Amino acid sequence: MLQHAADLVEAVINGAMGLDEAYTVARENKAKANSAEVQLARLREEDPELAERVVEGTLTLAGAWAERTERVEEDKRQRRVATRLLDELVPPLAQARGTRTFARYDPAYAGPGPITRETIAHAMTALSEMDQVWQERDLP
């Protein structure tokens, strides 16, 4: 009780609060403290930067978890957008391989921002980067 409800000791001594009631409060406080410790330990694993801000006192534990949730949701959103973009771009490019499509390209019919050799070089670099990530992640 001294560790988790020291503020109630005086009330118990004066008879203003029963020992059982103070012990219950102390157990609840201990459970909350343990819960906070567990949450902070989990936060340290998932996002050490946020955990450090909690320890420094610049962010509450609840605030850190709210920010962590926002970060996770934003990461999911970005992964969905990236996946859809690649799903739209890469298969048609792969289907054009071995066809006369590239030989038929005519800048006169190009939309805004016609394809240049620089654009092709950047696309090749992007595909090389994509291949490296697929290898690292062991994707098919």
Side-chain angles (χ1 to χ4, degrees):
M1 193 170 107
L2 287 173
Q3 187 175 6
H4 296 288
D7 58 322
L8 300 181
V9 171
E10 188 75 28
V12 172
I13 291 172
N14 293 335
M17 178 182 276
L19 185 58
D20 288 342
E21 185 181 355
Y23 183 69
T24 299
V25 171
R27 274 196 329 232
E28 289 171 359
N29 289 347
K30 182 180 179 183
K32 287 177 187 174
N34 288 342
S35 176
E37 289 172 13
V38 168
Q39 286 183 21
L40 184 58
R42 186 172 148 223
L43 187 61
R44 278 191 176 110
E45 290 176 16
E46 294 183 23
D47 199 321
E49 183 266 329
L50 286 176
E52 184 60 30
R53 288 174 55 197
V54 170
V55 171
E56 292 170 352
T58 60
L59 187 63
T60 65
L61 187 56
W65 277 111
E67 190 169 328
R68 174 71 181 145
T69 300
E70 287 177 22
R71 288 180 181 184
V72 167
E73 290 305 312
E74 177 60 16
D75 179 64
K76 286 180 187 177
R77 187 194 68 75
Q78 288 181 7
R79 285 186 288 133
R80 272 193 306 272
V81 169
T83 300
R84 288 180 184 148
L85 175 67
L86 293 175
D87 282 348
E88 290 176 14
L89 295 176
V90 177
L93 183 59
Q95 289 173 352
R97 181 181 60 101
T99 68
R100 301 248 333 123
T101 302
F102 304 123
R104 294 178 186 268
Y105 179 79
D106 186 340
Y109 297 112
I115 297 172
T116 64
R117 290 177 63 174
E118 182 181 19
T119 306
I120 294 168
H122 288 305
M124 290 171 61
T125 300
L127 287 170
S128 292
E129 291 170 356
M130 183 178 178
D131 182 52
Q132 182 178 355
V133 169
W134 255 243
Q135 287 178 37
E136 289 169 2
R137 293 180 57 200
D138 196 28
L139 294 173

